[in-house]
Coordinates of all heavy atoms in Angstrom, one line a residue:
M45 N 96.1 -14.6 -123.8 CA 95.4 -13.7 -122.9 C 94.5 -14.4 -121.9 O 93.8 -15.3 -122.4 CB 94.7 -12.6 -123.7 CG 94.1 -11.5 -122.9 SD 93.5 -10.2 -124.0 CE 91.9 -10.1 -123.4
T46 N 94.4 -14.0 -120.7 CA 93.5 -14.6 -119.7 C 92.1 -14.0 -119.8 O 92.0 -12.8 -119.9 CB 94.1 -14.4 -118.3 OG1 95.5 -14.8 -118.4 CG2 93.4 -15.3 -117.3
E47 N 91.1 -14.9 -119.7 CA 89.7 -14.4 -119.6 C 89.5 -13.7 -118.3 O 90.2 -13.9 -117.4 CB 88.8 -15.6 -119.7 CG 88.9 -16.5 -120.9 CD 88.4 -17.9 -120.7 OE1 87.2 -18.0 -120.3 OE2 89.1 -18.8 -120.8
P48 N 88.4 -12.9 -118.3 CA 88.2 -12.1 -117.0 C 88.0 -13.1 -115.9 O 87.4 -14.1 -116.0 CB 86.8 -11.5 -117.3 CG 86.7 -11.4 -118.8 CD 87.5 -12.6 -119.3
N49 N 88.6 -12.7 -114.7 CA 88.5 -13.4 -113.5 C 89.3 -14.6 -113.4 O 89.4 -15.3 -112.3 CB 87.0 -13.8 -113.1 CG 86.1 -12.5 -113.1 OD1 86.6 -11.5 -112.6 ND2 84.9 -12.7 -113.6
W50 N 90.0 -15.0 -114.5 CA 90.9 -16.1 -114.4 C 92.3 -15.5 -114.3 O 92.7 -14.6 -115.1 CB 90.9 -17.0 -115.6 CG 89.7 -17.9 -115.6 CD1 88.5 -17.7 -116.2 CD2 89.6 -19.2 -115.0 NE1 87.7 -18.8 -116.0 CE2 88.3 -19.8 -115.2 CE3 90.5 -20.0 -114.2 CZ2 87.9 -21.0 -114.8 CZ3 90.1 -21.2 -113.8 CH2 88.8 -21.7 -114.0
H51 N 93.1 -16.0 -113.3 CA 94.4 -15.4 -113.1 C 95.5 -16.5 -113.2 O 95.3 -17.6 -112.6 CB 94.5 -14.8 -111.6 CG 93.4 -13.8 -111.4 ND1 93.6 -12.5 -111.6 CD2 92.1 -14.0 -110.9 CE1 92.5 -11.8 -111.3 NE2 91.6 -12.7 -110.9
V52 N 96.5 -16.2 -113.9 CA 97.6 -17.2 -114.0 C 98.4 -17.1 -112.7 O 98.8 -16.0 -112.3 CB 98.6 -16.8 -115.2 CG1 99.8 -17.7 -115.1 CG2 97.8 -17.0 -116.5
V53 N 98.6 -18.2 -112.0 CA 99.3 -18.2 -110.7 C 100.6 -18.9 -110.7 O 101.3 -19.0 -109.7 CB 98.4 -18.7 -109.6 CG1 97.2 -17.8 -109.4 CG2 97.9 -20.1 -109.9
G54 N 100.9 -19.5 -111.9 CA 102.2 -20.2 -112.0 C 102.2 -21.2 -113.1 O 101.2 -21.3 -113.8
A55 N 103.3 -21.9 -113.3 CA 103.4 -22.9 -114.3 C 103.3 -24.3 -113.6 O 103.6 -24.4 -112.4 CB 104.8 -22.8 -114.9
I56 N 102.8 -25.2 -114.3 CA 102.6 -26.5 -113.7 C 103.9 -27.1 -113.1 O 103.8 -27.8 -112.0 CB 102.0 -27.6 -114.6 CG1 102.8 -27.8 -115.9 CG2 100.6 -27.2 -115.0 CD1 102.3 -28.9 -116.8
D57 N 105.0 -26.7 -113.6 CA 106.3 -27.2 -113.1 C 106.7 -26.5 -111.8 O 107.6 -26.9 -111.1 CB 107.4 -27.1 -114.1 CG 107.2 -28.0 -115.3 OD1 106.5 -29.0 -115.2 OD2 107.9 -27.7 -116.3
D58 N 106.0 -25.5 -111.4 CA 106.3 -24.8 -110.1 C 105.8 -25.6 -108.9 O 106.2 -25.3 -107.8 CB 105.5 -23.5 -110.1 CG 106.1 -22.5 -111.1 OD1 107.2 -22.7 -111.6 OD2 105.4 -21.5 -111.4
V59 N 104.9 -26.6 -109.2 CA 104.4 -27.4 -108.1 C 104.7 -28.9 -108.4 O 104.3 -29.4 -109.4 CB 102.8 -27.3 -108.0 CG1 102.4 -27.8 -106.6 CG2 102.4 -25.8 -108.2
S60 N 105.4 -29.5 -107.5 CA 105.7 -30.9 -107.6 C 104.4 -31.7 -107.3 O 103.5 -31.3 -106.6 CB 106.7 -31.4 -106.6 OG 107.9 -30.6 -106.8
R61 N 104.3 -33.0 -107.9 CA 103.2 -33.8 -107.6 C 103.1 -34.1 -106.1 O 104.2 -34.3 -105.4 CB 103.3 -35.1 -108.3 CG 102.0 -35.8 -108.4 CD 102.1 -37.1 -109.2 NE 102.3 -36.8 -110.6 CZ 102.0 -37.7 -111.6 NH1 101.5 -38.9 -111.3 NH2 102.2 -37.4 -112.8
E62 N 101.9 -34.0 -105.5 CA 101.7 -34.2 -104.1 C 102.4 -33.1 -103.3 O 103.1 -33.4 -102.3 CB 102.1 -35.6 -103.6 CG 101.1 -36.2 -102.6 CD 101.2 -37.7 -102.4 OE1 102.3 -38.2 -102.7 OE2 100.3 -38.3 -101.8
D63 N 102.3 -31.9 -103.7 CA 102.9 -30.8 -103.0 C 102.0 -29.5 -103.1 O 101.0 -29.6 -103.8 CB 104.3 -30.5 -103.6 CG 105.2 -29.8 -102.6 OD1 104.8 -29.5 -101.5 OD2 106.4 -29.6 -103.0
V64 N 102.4 -28.5 -102.5 CA 101.6 -27.3 -102.5 C 102.5 -26.0 -102.6 O 103.7 -26.1 -102.1 CB 100.8 -27.2 -101.1 CG1 101.7 -27.3 -99.9 CG2 99.9 -26.0 -101.1
I65 N 102.0 -25.0 -103.2 CA 102.7 -23.7 -103.1 C 101.7 -22.6 -102.7 O 100.4 -22.8 -102.8 CB 103.3 -23.3 -104.5 CG1 102.2 -23.1 -105.6 CG2 104.4 -24.2 -104.9 CD1 102.7 -22.5 -106.8
G66 N 102.2 -21.5 -102.1 CA 101.3 -20.4 -101.8 C 101.4 -19.3 -102.8 O 102.5 -19.1 -103.4
V67 N 100.3 -18.7 -103.2 CA 100.3 -17.6 -104.1 C 99.3 -16.5 -103.6 O 98.5 -16.8 -102.7 CB 99.8 -18.0 -105.5 CG1 100.7 -19.1 -106.1 CG2 98.4 -18.5 -105.5
T68 N 99.5 -15.3 -104.0 CA 98.7 -14.2 -103.7 C 98.1 -13.7 -104.9 O 98.8 -13.4 -105.9 CB 99.5 -13.1 -102.9 OG1 100.1 -13.7 -101.8 CG2 98.5 -12.0 -102.5
V69 N 96.7 -13.6 -105.0 CA 96.0 -12.9 -106.1 C 95.2 -11.8 -105.5 O 94.3 -12.0 -104.7 CB 95.1 -13.9 -106.8 CG1 94.4 -13.3 -107.9 CG2 95.9 -15.2 -107.3
G70 N 95.6 -10.6 -105.9 CA 95.0 -9.4 -105.2 C 95.2 -9.5 -103.7 O 96.3 -9.5 -103.3
E71 N 94.1 -9.5 -103.0 CA 94.2 -9.6 -101.5 C 94.0 -11.0 -101.0 O 94.0 -11.3 -99.8 CB 93.0 -8.8 -100.9 CG 92.9 -7.4 -101.5 CD 93.1 -6.3 -100.5 OE1 92.4 -6.3 -99.5 OE2 93.9 -5.4 -100.8
S72 N 93.9 -12.0 -102.0 CA 93.6 -13.3 -101.6 C 94.9 -14.2 -101.5 O 95.7 -14.2 -102.4 CB 92.6 -14.0 -102.5 OG 91.5 -13.3 -102.6
Q73 N 95.0 -14.8 -100.4 CA 96.1 -15.7 -100.2 C 95.6 -17.1 -100.4 O 94.6 -17.6 -99.8 CB 96.6 -15.7 -98.7 CG 98.1 -15.8 -98.5 CD 98.4 -15.6 -97.0 OE1 98.0 -14.6 -96.4 NE2 99.1 -16.5 -96.5
L74 N 96.2 -17.8 -101.4 CA 95.7 -19.1 -101.8 C 96.8 -20.2 -101.7 O 98.0 -19.9 -101.7 CB 95.3 -19.1 -103.3 CG 94.2 -18.0 -103.7 CD1 94.0 -18.1 -105.2 CD2 92.9 -18.3 -102.9
A75 N 96.3 -21.4 -101.5 CA 97.2 -22.6 -101.6 C 96.9 -23.3 -102.9 O 95.7 -23.7 -103.1 CB 97.1 -23.5 -100.4
I76 N 97.9 -23.6 -103.7 CA 97.7 -24.3 -105.0 C 98.2 -25.7 -104.7 O 99.4 -25.9 -104.5 CB 98.4 -23.7 -106.2 CG1 98.0 -22.2 -106.3 CG2 98.1 -24.5 -107.4 CD1 96.5 -22.0 -106.6
V77 N 97.4 -26.7 -104.8 CA 97.8 -28.1 -104.5 C 97.8 -28.9 -105.8 O 96.9 -28.9 -106.6 CB 96.7 -28.7 -103.5 CG1 97.0 -30.2 -103.3 CG2 96.8 -27.9 -102.2
R78 N 98.8 -29.7 -105.9 CA 98.9 -30.7 -107.0 C 98.8 -32.1 -106.3 O 99.6 -32.5 -105.5 CB 100.2 -30.6 -107.7 CG 100.3 -31.5 -109.0 CD 101.6 -31.2 -109.7 NE 101.7 -31.9 -111.0 CZ 102.6 -31.7 -111.9 NH1 103.5 -30.7 -111.7 NH2 102.6 -32.4 -113.0
T79 N 97.7 -32.8 -106.6 CA 97.4 -34.1 -105.9 C 98.3 -35.2 -106.5 O 98.9 -35.1 -107.5 CB 95.9 -34.4 -106.1 OG1 95.6 -34.5 -107.5 CG2 95.0 -33.3 -105.5
S80 N 98.2 -36.3 -105.8 CA 99.0 -37.5 -106.2 C 98.6 -38.0 -107.6 O 99.4 -38.6 -108.3 CB 98.9 -38.6 -105.1 OG 97.5 -39.0 -105.0
D81 N 97.3 -37.8 -107.9 CA 96.8 -38.2 -109.3 C 96.9 -37.1 -110.3 O 96.3 -37.1 -111.3 CB 95.4 -38.8 -109.2 CG 94.4 -37.8 -108.6 OD1 94.8 -36.7 -108.3 OD2 93.2 -38.2 -108.5
D82 N 97.8 -36.1 -110.0 CA 98.2 -35.0 -110.9 C 97.0 -34.1 -111.3 O 97.0 -33.6 -112.5 CB 98.8 -35.7 -112.2 CG 99.9 -34.8 -112.7 OD1 100.4 -33.9 -112.0 OD2 100.2 -35.0 -113.9
R83 N 96.2 -33.7 -110.4 CA 95.2 -32.7 -110.6 C 95.6 -31.5 -109.7 O 96.3 -31.6 -108.7 CB 93.8 -33.2 -110.2 CG 93.3 -34.3 -111.2 CD 91.9 -34.7 -110.8 NE 91.9 -35.4 -109.5 CZ 90.8 -35.6 -108.7 NH1 89.7 -35.1 -109.1 NH2 91.0 -36.3 -107.6
F84 N 95.1 -30.3 -110.2 CA 95.4 -29.1 -109.5 C 94.2 -28.5 -108.8 O 93.1 -28.5 -109.5 CB 96.0 -28.0 -110.4 CG 97.4 -28.4 -110.9 CD1 97.6 -29.3 -112.0 CD2 98.5 -27.8 -110.3 CE1 98.9 -29.6 -112.4 CE2 99.8 -28.1 -110.8 CZ 100.0 -29.0 -111.8
F85 N 94.3 -28.0 -107.6 CA 93.2 -27.4 -106.9 C 93.7 -26.2 -106.2 O 94.8 -26.1 -105.8 CB 92.6 -28.4 -105.8 CG 92.0 -29.6 -106.4 CD1 92.7 -30.7 -106.7 CD2 90.6 -29.6 -106.8 CE1 92.1 -31.9 -107.3 CE2 90.0 -30.7 -107.4 CZ 90.8 -31.8 -107.6
A86 N 92.7 -25.2 -106.1 CA 93.0 -23.9 -105.4 C 92.1 -23.8 -104.2 O 90.9 -24.0 -104.3 CB 92.8 -22.7 -106.3
V87 N 92.7 -23.6 -103.0 CA 91.9 -23.4 -101.8 C 92.4 -22.2 -101.1 O 93.6 -21.8 -101.3 CB 92.0 -24.7 -100.8 CG1 91.4 -25.9 -101.5 CG2 93.4 -25.0 -100.4
D88 N 91.6 -21.7 -100.1 CA 92.1 -20.6 -99.3 C 93.4 -21.0 -98.6 O 93.6 -22.1 -98.2 CB 91.1 -20.2 -98.3 CG 90.1 -19.2 -98.9 OD1 90.2 -18.8 -100.0 OD2 89.1 -18.9 -98.1
G89 N 94.4 -20.0 -98.5 CA 95.7 -20.3 -98.1 C 95.8 -20.4 -96.5 O 96.9 -20.8 -96.1
L90 N 94.8 -20.0 -95.8 CA 94.9 -20.0 -94.3 C 94.0 -21.0 -93.8 O 92.8 -21.1 -94.1 CB 94.6 -18.6 -93.8 CG 95.5 -17.5 -94.2 CD1 95.1 -16.2 -93.6 CD2 97.0 -17.8 -93.7
C91 N 94.5 -21.8 -92.9 CA 93.7 -22.9 -92.2 C 92.5 -22.2 -91.5 O 92.7 -21.2 -90.8 CB 94.6 -23.6 -91.2 SG 93.7 -24.9 -90.3
T92 N 91.4 -22.9 -91.5 CA 90.2 -22.3 -90.9 C 90.2 -22.5 -89.4 O 89.4 -22.0 -88.6 CB 88.9 -23.0 -91.4 OG1 89.0 -24.4 -91.2 CG2 88.7 -22.7 -92.9
H93 N 91.1 -23.3 -88.9 CA 91.2 -23.6 -87.4 C 92.0 -22.4 -86.7 O 91.5 -21.8 -85.8 CB 91.9 -24.9 -87.1 CG 92.0 -25.2 -85.7 ND1 93.3 -25.3 -85.1 CD2 91.1 -25.4 -84.7 CE1 93.1 -25.5 -83.8 NE2 91.8 -25.5 -83.5
G94 N 93.3 -22.2 -87.2 CA 94.1 -21.2 -86.5 C 94.9 -20.4 -87.4 O 95.9 -19.7 -87.0
R95 N 94.4 -20.3 -88.7 CA 95.0 -19.4 -89.7 C 96.5 -19.7 -90.0 O 97.2 -18.8 -90.4 CB 94.8 -17.9 -89.3 CG 93.3 -17.6 -89.2 CD 93.0 -16.1 -88.9 NE 93.4 -15.2 -90.0 CZ 92.8 -15.1 -91.1 NH1 91.8 -15.8 -91.4 NH2 93.3 -14.2 -92.0
A96 N 96.9 -20.9 -89.8 CA 98.3 -21.2 -90.3 C 98.3 -21.3 -91.8 O 97.3 -21.5 -92.4 CB 98.6 -22.6 -89.7
S97 N 99.5 -21.0 -92.3 CA 99.7 -21.0 -93.8 C 99.7 -22.5 -94.3 O 100.6 -23.3 -94.0 CB 101.0 -20.3 -94.1 OG 101.2 -20.5 -95.5
L98 N 98.7 -22.8 -95.1 CA 98.6 -24.1 -95.7 C 99.7 -24.4 -96.8 O 100.0 -25.5 -97.1 CB 97.2 -24.4 -96.2 CG 96.2 -24.5 -95.1 CD1 94.8 -24.7 -95.8 CD2 96.4 -25.7 -94.2
A99 N 100.3 -23.3 -97.2 CA 101.4 -23.5 -98.2 C 102.6 -24.2 -97.5 O 103.4 -24.7 -98.2 CB 101.9 -22.1 -98.7
E100 N 102.6 -24.2 -96.2 CA 103.6 -24.9 -95.4 C 103.2 -26.3 -95.0 O 103.8 -27.0 -94.2 CB 104.0 -24.1 -94.2 CG 104.3 -22.6 -94.4 CD 105.4 -22.4 -95.4 OE1 106.4 -23.2 -95.3 OE2 105.3 -21.5 -96.2
G101 N 102.0 -26.7 -95.5 CA 101.4 -28.0 -95.1 C 101.9 -29.1 -96.0 O 102.9 -29.0 -96.8
F102 N 101.3 -30.3 -95.8 CA 101.8 -31.5 -96.4 C 100.6 -32.1 -97.2 O 99.5 -32.2 -96.7 CB 102.2 -32.5 -95.3 CG 103.2 -31.9 -94.4 CD1 102.8 -31.4 -93.2 CD2 104.6 -31.8 -94.7 CE1 103.7 -30.8 -92.3 CE2 105.5 -31.2 -93.8 CZ 105.0 -30.7 -92.6
V103 N 100.9 -32.5 -98.4 CA 99.8 -33.0 -99.3 C 100.0 -34.6 -99.3 O 101.1 -35.1 -99.4 CB 99.9 -32.5 -100.7 CG1 98.9 -33.1 -101.6 CG2 99.8 -31.0 -100.7
D104 N 98.8 -35.2 -99.1 CA 98.8 -36.7 -99.0 C 97.6 -37.1 -99.9 O 96.4 -36.9 -99.5 CB 98.6 -37.1 -97.6 CG 98.5 -38.6 -97.4 OD1 98.9 -39.3 -98.4 OD2 98.1 -39.1 -96.4
G105 N 97.8 -37.6 -101.1 CA 96.7 -37.9 -102.0 C 96.0 -36.7 -102.4 O 96.5 -35.8 -103.1
T106 N 94.7 -36.6 -101.9 CA 93.9 -35.4 -102.3 C 93.6 -34.6 -101.0 O 92.7 -33.8 -101.0 CB 92.6 -35.8 -102.9 OG1 91.9 -36.6 -102.0 CG2 92.8 -36.4 -104.3
E107 N 94.4 -34.8 -99.9 CA 94.2 -34.1 -98.7 C 95.5 -33.2 -98.4 O 96.6 -33.6 -98.8 CB 94.0 -35.1 -97.5 CG 92.7 -35.8 -97.7 CD 92.5 -36.8 -96.5 OE1 93.3 -36.9 -95.6 OE2 91.5 -37.5 -96.6
I108 N 95.2 -32.1 -97.7 CA 96.3 -31.3 -97.2 C 96.2 -31.3 -95.7 O 95.2 -31.1 -95.1 CB 96.3 -29.9 -97.8 CG1 97.6 -29.1 -97.4 CG2 95.1 -29.1 -97.4 CD1 97.9 -27.9 -98.2
E109 N 97.4 -31.4 -95.1 CA 97.5 -31.4 -93.6 C 98.1 -30.1 -93.2 O 99.2 -29.7 -93.7 CB 98.4 -32.6 -93.1 CG 98.4 -32.7 -91.6 CD 99.2 -33.9 -91.2 OE1 98.7 -35.0 -91.5 OE2 100.3 -33.8 -90.6
C110 N 97.4 -29.5 -92.3 CA 97.9 -28.2 -91.7 C 99.2 -28.4 -90.9 O 99.3 -29.4 -90.1 CB 96.8 -27.6 -90.8 SG 97.3 -26.1 -90.0
P111 N 100.2 -27.5 -91.1 CA 101.5 -27.7 -90.4 C 101.4 -27.4 -88.9 O 102.3 -27.8 -88.1 CB 102.4 -26.8 -91.1 CG 101.5 -25.7 -91.6 CD 100.2 -26.3 -91.9
K112 N 100.3 -26.7 -88.4 CA 100.3 -26.3 -87.1 C 99.7 -27.3 -86.1 O 100.4 -27.7 -85.1 CB 99.5 -25.0 -87.0 CG 99.7 -24.2 -85.7 CD 99.2 -22.8 -85.9 CE 99.4 -22.0 -84.6 NZ 98.7 -20.6 -84.8
H113 N 98.5 -27.8 -86.4 CA 97.9 -28.8 -85.4 C 97.5 -30.1 -86.2 O 96.7 -30.9 -85.7 CB 96.7 -28.2 -84.7 CG 96.9 -26.9 -84.1 ND1 96.3 -25.7 -84.4 CD2 97.7 -26.6 -83.1 CE1 96.7 -24.7 -83.7 NE2 97.6 -25.2 -82.8
N114 N 97.9 -30.2 -87.4 CA 97.7 -31.5 -88.2 C 96.2 -31.7 -88.6 O 95.8 -32.8 -88.9 CB 98.2 -32.7 -87.5 CG 99.7 -32.5 -87.1 OD1 100.0 -32.2 -85.9 ND2 100.6 -32.5 -88.0
G115 N 95.4 -30.6 -88.6 CA 94.0 -30.8 -89.1 C 94.2 -31.1 -90.6 O 95.2 -30.8 -91.2
R116 N 93.2 -31.7 -91.2 CA 93.3 -32.1 -92.6 C 92.0 -31.6 -93.4 O 90.9 -31.6 -92.8 CB 93.4 -33.6 -92.8 CG 94.7 -34.1 -92.5 CD 94.8 -35.6 -92.8 NE 96.1 -36.1 -92.8 CZ 96.7 -36.8 -93.8 NH1 95.9 -37.1 -94.9 NH2 97.9 -37.2 -93.8
F117 N 92.2 -31.3 -94.7 CA 91.2 -30.9 -95.6 C 91.3 -31.7 -96.9 O 92.4 -31.9 -97.3 CB 91.3 -29.4 -95.9 CG 91.2 -28.5 -94.7 CD1 92.4 -28.1 -94.1 CD2 90.0 -28.0 -94.2 CE1 92.4 -27.3 -93.0 CE2 90.0 -27.2 -93.1 CZ 91.2 -26.8 -92.5
D118 N 90.1 -32.0 -97.4 CA 90.0 -32.6 -98.7 C 90.0 -31.5 -99.7 O 89.1 -30.7 -99.7 CB 88.8 -33.4 -98.9 CG 88.6 -34.1 -100.2 OD1 89.2 -33.6 -101.2 OD2 87.9 -35.2 -100.3
V119 N 91.1 -31.3 -100.5 CA 91.2 -30.2 -101.4 C 90.2 -30.2 -102.6 O 90.0 -29.2 -103.3 CB 92.6 -30.0 -101.9 CG1 93.6 -29.7 -100.8 CG2 93.1 -31.1 -102.8
T120 N 89.6 -31.4 -102.9 CA 88.7 -31.5 -104.0 C 87.3 -30.9 -103.6 O 86.6 -30.4 -104.5 CB 88.4 -33.0 -104.4 OG1 87.7 -33.7 -103.4 CG2 89.8 -33.6 -104.7
T121 N 87.0 -30.8 -102.3 CA 85.8 -30.2 -101.8 C 86.0 -29.1 -100.8 O 85.0 -28.3 -100.6 CB 84.9 -31.3 -101.1 OG1 85.7 -31.8 -100.0 CG2 84.6 -32.5 -102.1
G122 N 87.1 -29.0 -100.2 CA 87.4 -28.1 -99.1 C 87.0 -28.6 -97.7 O 87.3 -28.0 -96.7
E123 N 86.3 -29.8 -97.7 CA 85.8 -30.3 -96.5 C 86.9 -30.6 -95.5 O 88.0 -31.1 -95.8 CB 85.1 -31.6 -96.8 CG 84.4 -32.3 -95.6 CD 83.8 -33.7 -96.0 OE1 84.0 -34.1 -97.2 OE2 83.3 -34.3 -95.1
A124 N 86.6 -30.3 -94.2 CA 87.5 -30.6 -93.1 C 87.4 -32.1 -92.8 O 86.3 -32.6 -92.5 CB 87.2 -29.8 -91.9
V125 N 88.4 -32.9 -92.8 CA 88.3 -34.3 -92.7 C 89.1 -34.9 -91.5 O 89.0 -36.0 -91.2 CB 88.8 -35.1 -94.0 CG1 87.8 -34.8 -95.1 CG2 90.2 -34.7 -94.3
A126 N 89.8 -34.0 -90.8 CA 90.5 -34.4 -89.5 C 90.6 -33.3 -88.6 O 90.9 -32.2 -89.0 CB 91.9 -35.0 -89.8
S127 N 90.2 -33.6 -87.3 CA 90.3 -32.5 -86.3 C 91.7 -32.1 -86.0 O 92.6 -32.9 -86.2 CB 89.5 -33.0 -85.0 OG 90.3 -34.0 -84.5
P128 N 91.9 -30.9 -85.5 CA 90.9 -30.0 -84.9 C 90.2 -29.2 -86.0 O 89.4 -28.3 -85.7 CB 91.7 -29.1 -84.0 CG 93.1 -29.1 -84.6 CD 93.3 -30.4 -85.2
A129 N 90.5 -29.3 -87.3 CA 89.9 -28.6 -88.3 C 88.4 -29.0 -88.4 O 88.1 -30.2 -88.5 CB 90.6 -28.8 -89.7
R130 N 87.5 -28.1 -88.4 CA 86.1 -28.4 -88.5 C 85.3 -27.7 -89.6 O 84.4 -28.1 -90.1 CB 85.4 -28.1 -87.2 CG 85.7 -29.1 -86.1 CD 84.8 -29.1 -84.9 NE 85.2 -30.1 -83.9 CZ 86.2 -29.9 -83.1 NH1 86.8 -28.8 -83.0 NH2 86.5 -30.9 -82.2
V131 N 85.8 -26.5 -89.9 CA 85.2 -25.6 -90.9 C 85.9 -25.8 -92.2 O 87.1 -25.8 -92.3 CB 85.2 -24.1 -90.4 CG1 84.6 -23.2 -91.5 CG2 84.5 -23.9 -89.1
A132 N 85.1 -26.0 -93.3 CA 85.6 -26.2 -94.6 C 86.4 -25.0 -95.1 O 86.1 -23.9 -94.7 CB 84.5 -26.5 -95.6
L133 N 87.4 -25.3 -95.9 CA 88.1 -24.3 -96.7 C 87.3 -23.9 -97.9 O 86.6 -24.7 -98.5 CB 89.4 -24.9 -97.2 CG 90.6 -25.1 -96.3 CD1 91.7 -25.8 -97.1 CD2 91.1 -23.8 -95.8
R134 N 87.4 -22.6 -98.3 CA 86.8 -22.2 -99.5 C 87.7 -22.8 -100.7 O 88.9 -22.7 -100.6 CB 86.7 -20.7 -99.6 CG 85.5 -20.1 -98.9 CD 85.2 -18.8 -99.4 NE 86.4 -17.9 -99.4 CZ 86.5 -16.7 -99.9 NH1 85.5 -16.2 -100.6 NH2 87.7 -16.1 -99.9
T135 N 87.0 -23.3 -101.7 CA 87.7 -23.7 -102.9 C 87.5 -22.7 -104.0 O 86.5 -22.0 -104.0 CB 87.3 -25.1 -103.3 OG1 85.9 -25.1 -103.6 CG2 87.5 -26.1 -102.2
H136 N 88.4 -22.7 -105.0 CA 88.2 -21.8 -106.1 C 88.5 -22.6 -107.4 O 89.3 -23.5 -107.4 CB 89.2 -20.7 -106.0 CG 89.2 -20.0 -104.7 ND1 88.3 -18.9 -104.5 CD2 89.8 -20.2 -103.5 CE1 88.4 -18.5 -103.2 NE2 89.4 -19.3 -102.6
P137 N 87.7 -22.3 -108.5 CA 88.0 -23.0 -109.7 C 89.4 -22.9 -110.2 O 90.0 -21.8 -110.1 CB 87.0 -22.3 -110.7 CG 85.9 -21.7 -109.9 CD 86.6 -21.3 -108.6
C138 N 90.0 -24.0 -110.6 CA 91.4 -24.0 -111.0 C 91.5 -24.9 -112.2 O 90.9 -26.0 -112.3 CB 92.2 -24.7 -109.8 SG 94.0 -24.7 -110.0
R139 N 92.3 -24.5 -113.1 CA 92.5 -25.3 -114.4 C 93.9 -25.1 -114.9 O 94.6 -24.1 -114.5 CB 91.5 -24.8 -115.4 CG 91.7 -23.4 -116.0 CD 90.7 -23.0 -116.9 NE 91.0 -21.6 -117.5 CZ 90.2 -20.9 -118.2 NH1 89.0 -21.4 -118.5 NH2 90.6 -19.7 -118.7
V140 N 94.3 -26.0 -115.8 CA 95.6 -25.9 -116.4 C 95.4 -25.5 -117.9 O 94.5 -26.1 -118.6 CB 96.4 -27.2 -116.3 CG1 97.6 -27.2 -117.2 CG2 96.8 -27.4 -114.9
N141 N 96.1 -24.5 -118.3 CA 95.9 -24.1 -119.7 C 97.3 -23.8 -120.3 O 98.0 -22.9 -119.8 CB 95.0 -22.8 -119.7 CG 94.6 -22.4 -121.1 OD1 94.9 -23.1 -122.1 ND2 93.8 -21.3 -121.2
D142 N 97.7 -24.5 -121.3 CA 99.0 -24.3 -122.0 C 100.1 -24.3 -121.0 O 101.0 -23.4 -121.1 CB 98.9 -23.0 -122.7 CG 99.8 -22.9 -123.9 OD1 100.3 -24.0 -124.3 OD2 100.1 -21.8 -124.4
G143 N 100.1 -25.2 -120.0 CA 101.2 -25.3 -119.1 C 101.1 -24.4 -117.9 O 102.0 -24.4 -117.0
C144 N 100.1 -23.5 -117.9 CA 100.0 -22.5 -116.8 C 98.8 -22.9 -115.9 O 97.8 -23.4 -116.4 CB 99.7 -21.2 -117.3 SG 101.0 -20.4 -118.3
I145 N 98.9 -22.7 -114.6 CA 97.9 -22.9 -113.6 C 97.1 -21.6 -113.6 O 97.7 -20.5 -113.3 CB 98.4 -23.2 -112.3 CG1 99.4 -24.4 -112.3 CG2 97.3 -23.6 -111.3 CD1 100.3 -24.5 -111.1
Q146 N 95.8 -21.7 -113.7 CA 94.9 -20.6 -113.6 C 93.8 -20.8 -112.6 O 93.3 -21.9 -112.4 CB 94.2 -20.3 -115.0 CG 95.1 -20.1 -116.1 CD 94.4 -19.8 -117.4 OE1 93.3 -20.2 -117.6 NE2 95.1 -19.2 -118.4
V147 N 93.5 -19.7 -111.9 CA 92.5 -19.7 -110.8 C 91.5 -18.6 -111.1 O 91.8 -17.5 -111.5 CB 93.2 -19.4 -109.4 CG1 92.1 -19.3 -108.3 CG2 94.2 -20.5 -109.1
Q148 N 90.2 -19.0 -110.9 CA 89.1 -18.0 -111.1 C 88.7 -17.5 -109.7 O 88.4 -18.2 -108.8 CB 88.0 -18.7 -111.7 CG 86.9 -17.7 -112.2 CD 85.7 -18.4 -112.8 OE1 85.3 -19.5 -112.5 NE2 85.3 -17.8 -113.9
L149 N 88.8 -16.1 -109.6 CA 88.3 -15.5 -108.4 C 87.3 -14.4 -108.7 O 87.3 -13.8 -109.7 CB 89.5 -14.8 -107.7 CG 90.5 -15.6 -107.0 CD1 91.6 -14.7 -106.4 CD2 89.9 -16.5 -105.9
Ligands
FES44 FE1 95.4 -25.6 -88.8 FE2 95.1 -25.6 -86.2 S1 95.8 -24.0 -87.4 S2 94.7 -27.3 -87.6

């Protein structure tokens, strides 16, 4: 059973290493990123620059590159690290429990 506010969003095998999937929890569109060093992070699913879907983006190490204008964000902090992205993404607590990816909202 999941604790309050923690939502199962998939299985770890649903996301390849250095890749991303899009999920929807309630009204929230999220991008779940698996980094090159095999950690999982949850960030808002829409780019802060032009609202492109980051689920269609590219993961490089611990950064995700937006598919529209190639802005980049560090998924460990949400910080925008390459223009034209300037505003940080919101991050959400994310953990792996018994092979499942869970996000706290
Ligand atoms: Fe993402 Fe412009 S929409 S960088």
